[in-house]
Amino acid sequence: DTEVTQTPKHLVMGMTNKKSLKCEQHMGHRAMYWYKQKAKKPPELMFVYSYEKLSINESVPSRFSPECPNSSLLNLHLHALQPEDSALYLCASSQVGEAIYFGEGSWLTVV
Amino acid sequence: SQQGEEDPQALSIQEGENATMNCSYKTSINNLQWYRQNSGRGLVHLILIRSNEREKHSGRLRVTLDTSKKSSSLLITASRAADTASYFCATLHFYGQNFVFGPGTRLSVLP
C-alpha cells in the first residue's frame, strides 16, 4: 500500500472548468513531485517542491498551477485544460535525493 | 531529456524462468532506482542502488550497477504471473532533484 494518497482517483472536466488534484503524504518527506504519464510512456516530471518551495518547473503550461500549502500537502490546480492534457497524474514524495514513493495517481479526462 | 534507456522494450517469459532487464544512462549519477508499474496503477519502488554500490538484492530481485559502462540490470528470479508489469529505471544526477525515467520494459510472465 502506498503512503502517498491522491484524490480524486478519476476526474472528468470540461475545457472551461477549474479543478484541483490533491496529494498528501505523512512520511516526513521534504520533497514532493508531480509527474504526468501518458499510456505506455514513462512518467514525465512537471514540478518539484523542496522544503515547500518550488525548485523545478519543467516548462509546464500555466494552465497547470502547483501549490504546496505545507510539508505534507501538494495540490495541482487545473484551468482551461486541453483534451491532450488527459493523462494519469502522479504525485510522489521523497527525502531529498532518496527513493521516491508514488501515489496511485489521478486519471484525468478533459472533454 | 530522458537519461535512462531500458532494453528490451518488451519481454515474454514462462513462469519460473528468470527475467533480465537492462538500463543505460548517459551522464554521472547519484543513484539509480527501479520501479514496477501494474497497468493503470502508480509506480512501486523496488530498489535504489547508489553510485558507489555494485550489487543489491531484495528477495527475488537482484540489481547490478556498472558505472564504467553507465548501465544497470534488474534480474527477477523464478518469475511469477504476478510479476507481469512494466519496469522502469530512474536516474538521479549529482546535485539534482530530477529523477529521469527510461522508456520501460513491459514484462509478461505466462502461466
Side-chain angles (χ1 to χ4, degrees), chain A residues 31 33 35 37 40-43 45 48 50 55-56 58 88 90 94 96-105 107, chain B residues 1-2 30-31 33 35 37 39-45 48 50 88 90 92 96-104 106:
Chain A
Y33 311 79
Y35 281 85
Q37 188 179 27
K40 297 187 178 180
K41 296 290 186 182
L45 183 69
V48 180
S50 180
S55 58
I56 295 180
E58 289 286 350
L88 178 65
L90 294 161
S94 75
V96 176
E98 295 295 323
I100 51 175
Y101 293 88
F102 285 85
E104 288 289 351
W107 283 100
Chain B
S1 60
Q2 289 184 357
N30 181 319
N31 65 57
Q33 306 183 36
Y35 291 83
Q37 185 177 36
S39 181
R41 306 291 298 275
L43 282 80
V44 175
H45 180 260
L48 180 153
R50 301 187 190 281
F88 295 94
L92 178 68
Q97 292 178 280
N98 182 7
F99 292 89
V100 180
F101 284 82
R106 290 188 303 280

Side-chain angles (χ1 to χ4, degrees), chain A residues 14-88:
Chain A
M15 289 189 283
T16 58
N17 290 160
K18 283 185 181 180
K19 296 286 185 182
S20 297
L21 304 179
K22 297 185 182 299
C23 176
E24 187 171 8
Q25 59 90 12
H26 292 290
M27 294 179 280
H29 291 166
R30 302 311 302 268
M32 295 188 76
Y33 311 79
W34 281 114
Y35 281 85
K36 173 183 176 180
Q37 188 179 27
K38 295 282 230 179
K40 297 187 178 180
K41 296 290 186 182
E44 294 181 5
L45 183 69
M46 300 175 73
F47 303 104
V48 180
Y49 274 83
S50 180
Y51 295 92
E52 298 153 55
K53 293 192 187 315
L54 183 64
S55 58
I56 295 180
N57 176 341
E58 289 286 350
S59 302
V60 178
S62 60
R63 57 186 184 268
F64 295 92
S65 175
E67 178 195 19
C68 188
N70 60 53
S71 60
S72 300
L73 295 175
L74 187 65
N75 299 321
L76 186 62
H77 302 298
L78 314 170
H79 174 54
L81 296 192
Q82 303 297 310
E84 59 265 28
D85 296 321
S86 298
L88 178 65

Side-chain angles (χ1 to χ4, degrees), chain A residues 37 40-43, chain B residues 2 4-13 19-24 34-39 43 46 72-74 76 83-90 101-109:
Chain A
Q37 188 179 27
K40 297 187 178 180
K41 296 290 186 182
Chain B
Q2 289 184 357
E5 296 285 336
E6 288 98 334
D7 81 271
Q9 290 188 345
L11 179 62
S12 287
I13 59 174
T20 299
M21 288 159 269
N22 302 299
C23 171
S24 60
W34 284 93
Y35 291 83
R36 182 186 74 234
Q37 185 177 36
N38 292 91
S39 181
L43 282 80
L46 297 176
S72 174
S73 67
L74 170 66
I76 304 173
D83 294 327
T84 294
S86 291
Y87 291 81
F88 295 94
C89 70
F101 284 82
T105 295
R106 290 188 303 280
L107 174 66
S108 297
V109 181

